[in-house]
Amino acid sequence: MSHETFMGEHLQVTRRHFQRLGLASAMAGSMPLASRGRSVGGQQRGASRPVPAGVRPEPYFTPAGEFQDVSRGKPLPHALPDEKKREVGLTRESWRLEVLSDPDHPARLKQELTGAKATALDFQGLLKIGETHLVRFAKVMTCLNMGCPLGMGLWEGVPMREVVALTQPRENLRRVFYYGFHNNDPTQMFRSSLPIGRVLEDPYDLPPVILCYKLNGEWLDSKRGGPVRVVVPEGYGFKSIKWLSHLVLTNLSHANDTYAEQNNDVDSPLKTFAASLSVPLEVKSGQPVPVSGYAQVGISGLSKVQICIEPADKPVAENDPYFLKSKWTDATLLPPPELWNSLKAGKIPPPTHGFDDSGKPKTWPMRLTNSHWAALIPGLGQGEYNFRCRTIDEKGQPQPLPRPLRKSGHNAIESLVIRVKG
Ligand SMILES: Nc1nc2c(c(=O)[nH]1)N[C@H]1C(S)=C(S)[C@@H](COP(=O)(O)O)O[C@H]1N2
Ligand SMILES: [Mo]
């Protein structure tokens, strides 16, 4: 989807919102919603910077082919020729999953699932589990350090615990390591891990950790990690290993994720934060300024999005890195989409975690997904202003609190300049 089409869609939902407020004319004026670059990490980018692919008011779910891709591997596993994919287990027909005990820190299992013993799980076996244990949930895929989402998906599969159970673990099992196809080159292995407790049980009403084989109702394609990937509902992207080939059951007590190598915090779940999508670069004095954007709803939920506009020459308050002393006003959180256009029939099929049987979200905004917001700033006097937005989570904590540290997930407050002409 092109940048123009994307912004067209965003404008459509926000326009509907402003029209309900009787403000259609305010928007007609100087084409105030002309898109501009989003800021990332507080730095303003050029006006031509494309809107992040993963942020969609409608159709809301990102078509699989439009996710942003950050996959590693030389060659990229999804770029291998079909014949090679068949040979290495990257097709539904050839896929096999081994579930092994870690030789260095063994877990005691009744049996391993191995290729050698012809007990490895195949795709039919996985689907069989799905007949009785199907899990489906909405989740935004976000890369830890990038902040901007790679895509919003409706992910479908079976709980990892059902596959672990096939080995009949007895004791000495504290963690699951897992990795996928990596061109048979140990230096290319991209692995992640979870405490066994998270795999066996779902705290705080989270969906289970799944072995995923469908996205938005279609088979998971090769680029998104198919035939099978892990999806960890509350995790950043690096926990959701693609081209899954191995689960290793271990008695080691700590993480050994590939992502830990870059000074990343590999245990912290998704944060809540807001970002703008449409803020005018320049407006006329006295004219109301419509602004809009999205918020990622992390583990602590979302109660509000707020905005703040201050003269650019206002002295920066001391000891206030999070602008707690600034004057913030509430933006409007936009309702869920009426049609889920990227899905067949435009509907969320039952059962889906967090949705009722008619396909309506049980709560909104919904944790682990994107929400959209809009606000109208009253007319301003001539000059330059800093525009900021932030979230307040369900516990009342303003972004980037309670977790402002950068390496546990991007959530810096962004800052944009609006010029008001006489
Ligand atoms: N096997 C494998 N899995 C992987 C990766 C990878 O490079 N190789 N990248 C991870 C990272 S860092 C992210 S952010 C997500 C991105 O998922 P997506 O490609 O579906 O957007 O995949 C994760 N899973
Ligand atoms: Mo990532």
Side-chain angles (χ1 to χ4, degrees):
M1 174 184 265
S2 71
H3 175 56
E4 286 71 26
T5 325
F6 170 80
M7 278 317 291
E9 285 180 343
H10 181 72
L11 296 190
Q12 204 179 309
V13 269
T14 48
R15 192 168 284 139
R16 204 181 297 148
H17 165 75
F18 287 121
Q19 272 165 357
R20 282 198 197 109
L21 297 178
L23 290 163
S25 60
M27 297 193 54
S30 56
M31 190 45 211
L33 278 181
S35 72
R36 67 193 280 170
R38 281 191 56 237
S39 78
V40 170
Q43 280 170 334
Q44 197 162 329
R45 302 285 180 94
S48 60
R49 190 181 137 77
V51 164
V55 188
R56 307 170 71 88
E58 285 176 274
Y60 188 73
F61 289 111
T62 312
E66 293 186 22
F67 272 59
Q68 246 170 280
D69 197 51
V70 295
S71 308
R72 301 175 184 194
K74 270 191 183 147
L76 286 167
H78 59 74
L80 294 172
D82 288 348
E83 197 180 311
K84 181 77 183 168
K85 280 185 183 167
R86 271 193 293 278
E87 189 190 311
V88 300
L90 287 176
T91 63
R92 291 192 289 282
E93 295 69 31
S94 62
W95 180 78
R96 296 290 183 277
L97 178 72
E98 294 202 315
V99 188
L100 308 172
S101 173
D102 178 357
D104 298 327
H105 308 274
R108 196 154 77 81
L109 315 174
K110 180 96 182 288
Q111 64 157 350
E112 293 183 318
L113 309 188
T114 69
K117 289 192 192 137
T119 48
L121 185 68
D122 64 12
F123 199 75
Q124 286 310 318
L126 192 68
L127 292 187
K128 188 87 194 138
I129 299 172
E131 286 173 14
T132 44
H133 291 91
L134 178 98
V135 175
R136 191 160 36 221
F137 57 84
K139 171 202 172 46
V140 57
M141 194 61 73
T142 304
C143 192
L144 185 78
N145 293 309
M146 286 164 64
C148 72
L150 305 166
M152 258 292 304
L154 188 64
W155 309 92
E156 183 175 328
V158 303
M160 184 188 277
R161 57 176 159 266
E162 297 303 326
V163 175
V164 170
L166 298 176
T167 66
Q168 302 183 50
R170 296 293 187 240
E171 59 185 349
N172 297 342
L173 173 49
R174 292 194 277 183
R175 234 175 147 84
V176 183
F177 295 146
Y178 45 95
Y179 60 90
F181 175 75
H182 51 282
N183 293 308
N184 282 329
D185 171 1
T187 65
Q188 293 191 25
M189 185 189 283
F190 190 99
R191 68 182 175 202
S192 187
S193 72
L194 286 169
I196 188 64
R198 173 60 188 102
V199 174
L200 297 181
E201 193 175 21
D202 308 319
Y204 322 118
D205 291 331
L206 289 169
V209 173
I210 61 167
L211 306 193
C212 165
Y213 47 79
K214 281 193 173 180
L215 168 60
N216 299 342
E218 311 284 340
W219 292 125
L220 186 70
D221 67 47
S222 191
K223 209 169 179 186
R224 294 280 69 70
V228 181
R229 79 183 293 178
V230 171
V231 179
V232 179
E234 71 279 22
Y236 280 96
F238 68 89
K239 286 275 175 199
S240 294
I241 295 294
K242 297 158 80 167
W243 312 295
L244 182 70
S245 62
H246 287 81
L247 303 184
V248 180
L249 307 181
T250 179
N251 199 28
L252 198 69
S253 63
H254 57 82
N256 73 346
D257 295 38
T258 299
Y259 241 48
E261 284 162 15
Q262 289 146 15
N263 192 30
N264 291 317
D265 173 344
V266 291
D267 289 318
S268 293
L270 272 185
K271 295 178 180 181
T272 298
F273 74 91
S276 63
L277 284 173
S278 177
V279 175
L281 290 161
E282 220 172 69
V283 294
K284 280 202 194 131
S285 69
Q287 254 191 18
V289 186
V291 290
S292 61
Y294 75 98
Q296 171 173 292
V297 187
I299 200 79
S300 284
L302 172 68
S303 71
K304 280 179 187 180
V305 169
Q306 297 188 315
I307 61 166
C308 160
I309 184 126
E310 293 177 326
D313 56 9
K314 185 186 160 228
V316 184
E318 258 176 64
N319 285 328
D320 188 26
Y322 311 138
F323 307 99
L324 299 174
K325 294 176 184 157
S326 294
K327 187 172 164 262
W328 294 88
T329 55
D330 295 352
T332 302
L333 290 176
L334 303 181
E338 279 149 34
L339 258 188
W340 309 82
N341 284 332
S342 306
L343 307 177
K344 276 203 194 104
K347 281 182 71 171
I348 309 267
T352 297
H353 191 96
F355 291 81
D356 68 19
D357 282 351
S358 75
K360 289 214 164 54
K362 290 182 188 164
T363 55
W364 195 265
M366 218 175 171
R367 275 197 309 181
L368 317 182
T369 71
N370 285 336
S371 252
H372 290 259
W373 57 268
L376 196 71
I377 304 168
L380 299 160
Q382 196 176 334
E384 267 192 18
Y385 294 81
N386 286 325
F387 170 82
R388 299 192 178 91
C389 57
R390 71 173 182 187
T391 49
I392 307 286
D393 72 21
E394 277 173 17
K395 308 227 165 72
Q397 320 231 45
Q399 178 191 335
L401 298 170
R403 291 189 282 140
L405 299 177
R406 198 163 60 85
K407 296 304 268 185
S408 54
H410 168 89
N411 68 343
I413 294 180
E414 57 164 56
S415 211
L416 296 169
V417 175
I418 299 178
R419 270 177 208 90
V420 181
K421 295 207 296 189

PDB file of all heavy atoms in Angstrom, residues 167-180:
ATOM      1  N   THR A 167       6.393 -34.375  25.245  1.00  0.00           N
ATOM      2  CA  THR A 167       7.637 -34.992  25.730  1.00  0.00           C
ATOM      3  C   THR A 167       7.468 -35.541  27.142  1.00  0.00           C
ATOM      4  O   THR A 167       8.384 -36.168  27.671  1.00  0.00           O
ATOM      5  CB  THR A 167       8.797 -33.973  25.753  1.00  0.00           C
ATOM      6  OG1 THR A 167       8.495 -32.963  26.748  1.00  0.00           O
ATOM      7  CG2 THR A 167       8.995 -33.299  24.402  1.00  0.00           C
ATOM      8  N   GLN A 168       6.338 -35.261  27.767  1.00  0.00           N
ATOM      9  CA  GLN A 168       6.067 -35.675  29.149  1.00  0.00           C
ATOM     10  C   GLN A 168       7.225 -35.315  30.090  1.00  0.00           C
ATOM     11  O   GLN A 168       7.888 -36.214  30.635  1.00  0.00           O
ATOM     12  CB  GLN A 168       5.756 -37.168  29.197  1.00  0.00           C
ATOM     13  CG  GLN A 168       4.562 -37.517  28.303  1.00  0.00           C
ATOM     14  CD  GLN A 168       4.207 -38.996  28.404  1.00  0.00           C
ATOM     15  OE1 GLN A 168       4.051 -39.545  29.487  1.00  0.00           O
ATOM     16  NE2 GLN A 168       4.068 -39.627  27.247  1.00  0.00           N
ATOM     17  N   PRO A 169       7.437 -34.019  30.296  1.00  0.00           N
ATOM     18  CA  PRO A 169       8.528 -33.608  31.186  1.00  0.00           C
ATOM     19  C   PRO A 169       8.256 -34.035  32.629  1.00  0.00           C
ATOM     20  O   PRO A 169       7.121 -33.976  33.083  1.00  0.00           O
ATOM     21  CB  PRO A 169       8.532 -32.075  31.064  1.00  0.00           C
ATOM     22  CG  PRO A 169       7.275 -31.698  30.408  1.00  0.00           C
ATOM     23  CD  PRO A 169       6.695 -32.890  29.726  1.00  0.00           C
ATOM     24  N   ARG A 170       9.332 -34.462  33.302  1.00  0.00           N
ATOM     25  CA  ARG A 170       9.193 -34.937  34.678  1.00  0.00           C
ATOM     26  C   ARG A 170       9.770 -33.954  35.689  1.00  0.00           C
ATOM     27  O   ARG A 170       9.170 -33.653  36.702  1.00  0.00           O
ATOM     28  CB  ARG A 170       9.904 -36.289  34.842  1.00  0.00           C
ATOM     29  CG  ARG A 170       9.297 -37.403  34.009  1.00  0.00           C
ATOM     30  CD  ARG A 170       7.892 -37.751  34.495  1.00  0.00           C
ATOM     31  NE  ARG A 170       7.370 -38.920  33.801  1.00  0.00           N
ATOM     32  CZ  ARG A 170       6.257 -38.913  33.059  1.00  0.00           C
ATOM     33  NH1 ARG A 170       5.568 -37.793  32.906  1.00  0.00           N
ATOM     34  NH2 ARG A 170       5.842 -40.004  32.477  1.00  0.00           N
ATOM     35  N   GLU A 171      10.993 -33.509  35.458  1.00  0.00           N
ATOM     36  CA  GLU A 171      11.605 -32.529  36.371  1.00  0.00           C
ATOM     37  C   GLU A 171      12.789 -31.858  35.688  1.00  0.00           C
ATOM     38  O   GLU A 171      13.118 -32.165  34.547  1.00  0.00           O
ATOM     39  CB  GLU A 171      12.025 -33.177  37.691  1.00  0.00           C
ATOM     40  CG  GLU A 171      13.017 -34.301  37.524  1.00  0.00           C
ATOM     41  CD  GLU A 171      13.335 -35.002  38.846  1.00  0.00           C
ATOM     42  OE1 GLU A 171      12.958 -34.491  39.917  1.00  0.00           O
ATOM     43  OE2 GLU A 171      13.966 -36.060  38.785  1.00  0.00           O
ATOM     44  N   ASN A 172      13.419 -30.941  36.429  1.00  0.00           N
ATOM     45  CA  ASN A 172      14.579 -30.202  35.920  1.00  0.00           C
ATOM     46  C   ASN A 172      14.256 -29.445  34.631  1.00  0.00           C
ATOM     47  O   ASN A 172      15.043 -29.421  33.685  1.00  0.00           O
ATOM     48  CB  ASN A 172      15.773 -31.134  35.670  1.00  0.00           C
ATOM     49  CG  ASN A 172      16.249 -31.777  36.968  1.00  0.00           C
ATOM     50  OD1 ASN A 172      15.911 -31.288  38.054  1.00  0.00           O
ATOM     51  ND2 ASN A 172      16.998 -32.853  36.865  1.00  0.00           N
ATOM     52  N   LEU A 173      13.114 -28.848  34.601  1.00  0.00           N
ATOM     53  CA  LEU A 173      12.741 -28.033  33.431  1.00  0.00           C
ATOM     54  C   LEU A 173      12.404 -26.630  33.922  1.00  0.00           C
ATOM     55  O   LEU A 173      11.415 -26.427  34.611  1.00  0.00           O
ATOM     56  CB  LEU A 173      11.535 -28.661  32.720  1.00  0.00           C
ATOM     57  CG  LEU A 173      10.908 -27.847  31.575  1.00  0.00           C
ATOM     58  CD1 LEU A 173      11.952 -27.350  30.584  1.00  0.00           C
ATOM     59  CD2 LEU A 173       9.842 -28.676  30.863  1.00  0.00           C
ATOM     60  N   ARG A 174      13.266 -25.667  33.588  1.00  0.00           N
ATOM     61  CA  ARG A 174      13.049 -24.297  34.047  1.00  0.00           C
ATOM     62  C   ARG A 174      12.858 -23.290  32.912  1.00  0.00           C
ATOM     63  O   ARG A 174      12.372 -22.198  33.128  1.00  0.00           O
ATOM     64  CB  ARG A 174      14.225 -23.864  34.940  1.00  0.00           C
ATOM     65  CG  ARG A 174      14.235 -24.640  36.258  1.00  0.00           C
ATOM     66  CD  ARG A 174      15.144 -24.017  37.275  1.00  0.00           C
ATOM     67  NE  ARG A 174      16.536 -24.416  37.080  1.00  0.00           N
ATOM     68  CZ  ARG A 174      17.525 -24.031  37.894  1.00  0.00           C
ATOM     69  NH1 ARG A 174      17.279 -23.243  38.916  1.00  0.00           N
ATOM     70  NH2 ARG A 174      18.764 -24.437  37.665  1.00  0.00           N
ATOM     71  N   ARG A 175      13.270 -23.682  31.721  1.00  0.00           N
ATOM     72  CA  ARG A 175      13.193 -22.740  30.611  1.00  0.00           C
ATOM     73  C   ARG A 175      13.059 -23.448  29.279  1.00  0.00           C
ATOM     74  O   ARG A 175      13.491 -24.589  29.139  1.00  0.00           O
ATOM     75  CB  ARG A 175      14.489 -21.909  30.573  1.00  0.00           C
ATOM     76  CG  ARG A 175      14.215 -20.447  30.577  1.00  0.00           C
ATOM     77  CD  ARG A 175      15.408 -19.574  30.648  1.00  0.00           C
ATOM     78  NE  ARG A 175      15.070 -18.384  29.895  1.00  0.00           N
ATOM     79  CZ  ARG A 175      14.396 -17.355  30.393  1.00  0.00           C
ATOM     80  NH1 ARG A 175      14.018 -17.333  31.649  1.00  0.00           N
ATOM     81  NH2 ARG A 175      14.095 -16.331  29.622  1.00  0.00           N
ATOM     82  N   VAL A 176      12.436 -22.759  28.320  1.00  0.00           N
ATOM     83  CA  VAL A 176      12.381 -23.273  26.944  1.00  0.00           C
ATOM     84  C   VAL A 176      13.190 -22.330  26.065  1.00  0.00           C
ATOM     85  O   VAL A 176      12.930 -21.125  26.041  1.00  0.00           O
ATOM     86  CB  VAL A 176      10.929 -23.334  26.417  1.00  0.00           C
ATOM     87  CG1 VAL A 176      10.900 -23.949  25.020  1.00  0.00           C
ATOM     88  CG2 VAL A 176      10.027 -24.122  27.363  1.00  0.00           C
ATOM     89  N   PHE A 177      14.192 -22.881  25.384  1.00  0.00           N
ATOM     90  CA  PHE A 177      14.876 -22.131  24.320  1.00  0.00           C
ATOM     91  C   PHE A 177      14.254 -22.541  23.010  1.00  0.00           C
ATOM     92  O   PHE A 177      13.853 -23.692  22.857  1.00  0.00           O
ATOM     93  CB  PHE A 177      16.365 -22.506  24.228  1.00  0.00           C
ATOM     94  CG  PHE A 177      17.164 -22.150  25.418  1.00  0.00           C
ATOM     95  CD1 PHE A 177      18.226 -22.947  25.824  1.00  0.00           C
ATOM     96  CD2 PHE A 177      16.875 -21.010  26.141  1.00  0.00           C
ATOM     97  CE1 PHE A 177      18.974 -22.614  26.931  1.00  0.00           C
ATOM     98  CE2 PHE A 177      17.621 -20.666  27.237  1.00  0.00           C
ATOM     99  CZ  PHE A 177      18.670 -21.472  27.646  1.00  0.00           C
ATOM    100  N   TYR A 178      14.229 -21.633  22.082  1.00  0.00           N
ATOM    101  CA  TYR A 178      13.686 -22.029  20.790  1.00  0.00           C
ATOM    102  C   TYR A 178      14.367 -21.242  19.691  1.00  0.00           C
ATOM    103  O   TYR A 178      14.782 -20.096  19.879  1.00  0.00           O
ATOM    104  CB  TYR A 178      12.165 -21.854  20.747  1.00  0.00           C
ATOM    105  CG  TYR A 178      11.648 -20.559  21.309  1.00  0.00           C
ATOM    106  CD1 TYR A 178      11.396 -19.464  20.474  1.00  0.00           C
ATOM    107  CD2 TYR A 178      11.400 -20.421  22.674  1.00  0.00           C
ATOM    108  CE1 TYR A 178      10.921 -18.272  20.984  1.00  0.00           C
ATOM    109  CE2 TYR A 178      10.929 -19.219  23.195  1.00  0.00           C
ATOM    110  CZ  TYR A 178      10.687 -18.156  22.349  1.00  0.00           C
ATOM    111  OH  TYR A 178      10.233 -16.975  22.865  1.00  0.00           O
ATOM    112  N   TYR A 179      14.524 -21.892  18.561  1.00  0.00           N
ATOM    113  CA  TYR A 179      15.160 -21.237  17.412  1.00  0.00           C
ATOM    114  C   TYR A 179      14.618 -21.813  16.123  1.00  0.00           C
ATOM    115  O   TYR A 179      13.922 -22.831  16.123  1.00  0.00           O
ATOM    116  CB  TYR A 179      16.687 -21.336  17.479  1.00  0.00           C
ATOM    117  CG  TYR A 179      17.256 -22.740  17.490  1.00  0.00           C
ATOM    118  CD1 TYR A 179      17.584 -23.381  16.303  1.00  0.00           C
ATOM    119  CD2 TYR A 179      17.487 -23.396  18.693  1.00  0.00           C
ATOM    120  CE1 TYR A 179      18.127 -24.662  16.305  1.00  0.00           C
ATOM    121  CE2 TYR A 179      18.028 -24.674  18.710  1.00  0.00           C
ATOM    122  CZ  TYR A 179      18.337 -25.307  17.510  1.00  0.00           C
ATOM    123  OH  TYR A 179      18.867 -26.572  17.523  1.00  0.00           O
ATOM    124  N   GLY A 180      14.970 -21.142  15.035  1.00  0.00           N
ATOM    125  CA  GLY A 180      14.441 -21.547  13.745  1.00  0.00           C
ATOM    126  C   GLY A 180      15.552 -21.842  12.757  1.00  0.00           C
ATOM    127  O   GLY A 180      16.741 -21.837  13.100  1.00  0.00           O
TER     128      GLY A 180
END
